[in-house]
Amino acid sequence: QVQLVESGGGLVQAGGSLRLSCAASGRTFSGYNMGWFRQAPGKEREFVTAISWSGGITDYADSVKGRFTISRDNAKNTVDLQMNSLKPEDTAVYYCAASPSGLYSGYKYWGQGTQVTVSS
């Protein structure tokens, strides 16, 4: 069992930045691939970015490439999402998730989410 708690969401103007953090507890954090997903009102949850257990592999949705950066610190059991050049369409609830298997699937553990609102 892995418990995930996100923090760092808030209200920001378009063009601004936010840094989300996800703190993990429970089973060995370094054994999990980690991902960030988001869900906007009236839309399905979508993949944003993921990072492998070692941090050596990362991937991003096309919509956030060049603007968002995922990182992890296995010593601190945290995974962060640095979001720059934010756009109103980035407004969503952002979820941290852990996968014991694949980078794009198998996400078994989820946080409660943190709201990000980008005003135009």
Side-chain angles (χ1 to χ4, degrees):
Q1 189 79 5
V2 176
Q3 293 80 39
L4 303 171
V5 178
E6 303 96 335
S7 60
L11 173 64
V12 63
Q13 288 189 333
S17 298
L18 278 175
R19 188 176 184 89
L20 305 183
S21 187
C22 175
S25 60
R27 288 183 177 265
T28 305
F29 175 72
S30 60
Y32 291 84
N33 297 317
M34 298 298 296
W36 285 95
F37 296 77
R38 67 186 181 186
Q39 186 167 20
K43 295 187 177 181
E44 293 187 355
R45 186 168 57 196
E46 64 175 358
F47 169 84
V48 176
T49 179
I51 187 167
S52 63
W53 64 271
S54 67
I57 300 172
T58 60
D59 199 13
Y60 299 88
D62 288 343
S63 59
V64 306
K65 276 182 183 176
R67 300 188 298 122
F68 290 13
T69 303
I70 189 171
S71 60
R72 68 187 295 163
D73 187 332
N74 286 343
K76 296 181 179 179
N77 287 3
T78 58
V79 58
D80 292 346
L81 179 62
Q82 178 66 44
M83 305 186 295
N84 299 327
S85 303
L86 283 161
K87 305 175 181 180
E89 51 264 42
D90 294 318
T91 295
V93 177
Y94 283 71
Y95 298 91
C96 170
S99 170
S101 52
L103 195 61
Y104 304 101
S105 62
Y107 284 91
K108 186 175 182 181
Y109 304 105
W110 295 82
Q112 82 289 349
T114 186
Q115 177 71 47
V116 171
T117 303
V118 184
S119 62
S120 57

